[in-house]
Amino acid sequence: MGIFRQRFVIDSVLPAQGAWRKLLPVVKTNLPICAECGQTLAGAGAVRFCSNCGQPAPPHLPQTWVQRHFSSGGFEFEGDVSPQEFNVSRIISYRNSCIPVIRGRFEPSAAGTRIVIEMKMHPLGYVFLVGRITISFVVLSILAVNGQGFPVTAVAAFAAPCFIFTVCWVAFALEASTARAALRRFGQYTEF
């Protein structure tokens, strides 16, 4: 469904490493990150050292279940980030099955870095959308065939799925717009 997909490019004057480092502080990941230079920390022992700047990292303190699942900790996104690409979604404090999954990659360009981003609805959002439409159509069609409020029920059998689709599309579009605005901080923004 192309309507639940958006693609755009952000041109940044920063080099790819700089753009990646600018994204790191706003993304909540499970990977330990060096506070000095922003690189992913190496080492499996209790003491980790940054392979880039050599600084020792403080030991990783385990989070409680509540912190892990209900606290954004000042982050806007959560997911995976690497120097070449990222796969994130916005952290929200409400329910929305139409939240976009944001995939992006850093490409070098003459002016700095091109960040190519594609937003798609989460796969479970598609399941909920199709399920809601199917259930509403089947239930209202059965009622229309049985003759219970025939004119109104027959119209509702076709109008309800359209309404559900429109609500999901608007919810996705609003969330994608908010995510785009948050990602726009990287530089100039161009659609394609």
Side-chain angles (χ1 to χ4, degrees):
M1 291 190 168
I3 198 165
F4 293 104
R5 177 179 296 174
Q6 293 185 10
R7 295 183 65 165
F8 59 97
V9 173
I10 297 173
D11 291 317
S12 176
V13 294
L14 298 172
Q17 272 309 91
W20 172 66
R21 285 187 181 143
K22 194 170 180 182
L23 180 64
L24 276 177
V26 297
V27 178
K28 180 179 177 182
T29 65
N30 291 331
L31 300 174
I33 304 292
C34 177
E36 192 69 28
C37 67
Q39 295 287 330
T40 302
L41 298 176
V47 178
R48 293 180 187 263
F49 291 92
C50 179
S51 59
N52 188 40
C53 68
Q55 294 290 324
H60 180 68
L61 299 174
Q63 292 181 328
T64 65
W65 185 85
V66 172
Q67 288 173 329
R68 214 172 25 247
H69 295 287
F70 294 107
S71 172
S72 69
F75 298 104
E76 291 182 61
F77 299 95
E78 63 183 345
D80 299 320
V81 180
S82 73
Q84 296 82 24
E85 62 187 8
F86 57 91
N87 187 10
V88 297
S89 60
R90 254 181 20 94
I91 298 174
I92 58 175
S93 61
Y94 48 89
R95 293 182 186 205
N96 186 348
S97 59
C98 300
I99 189 114
V101 174
I102 305 162
R103 296 189 105 140
R105 64 183 183 278
F106 302 103
E107 297 177 350
S109 71
T113 304
R114 265 185 90 160
I115 306 164
V116 181
I117 299 172
E118 182 175 5
M119 291 191 271
K120 297 180 184 176
M121 188 164 63
H122 193 279
L124 285 177
Y126 286 118
V127 171
F128 289 130
L129 174 64
V130 171
R132 289 175 193 152
I133 288 174
T134 303
I135 289 171
S136 69
F137 181 75
V138 168
V139 168
L140 291 170
S141 295
I142 290 171
L143 291 174
V145 169
N146 289 337
Q148 298 176 357
F150 180 69
V152 173
T153 311
V155 170
F158 292 101
C162 294
F163 176 74
I164 292 169
F165 182 83
T166 303
V167 167
C168 288
W169 176 67
V170 168
F172 174 80
L174 289 173
E175 288 294 337
S177 175
T178 304
R180 184 183 304 117
L183 291 168
R184 201 180 280 178
R185 293 185 207 118
F186 287 107
Q188 294 179 348
Y189 162 88
T190 54
E191 288 271 346
F192 77 145

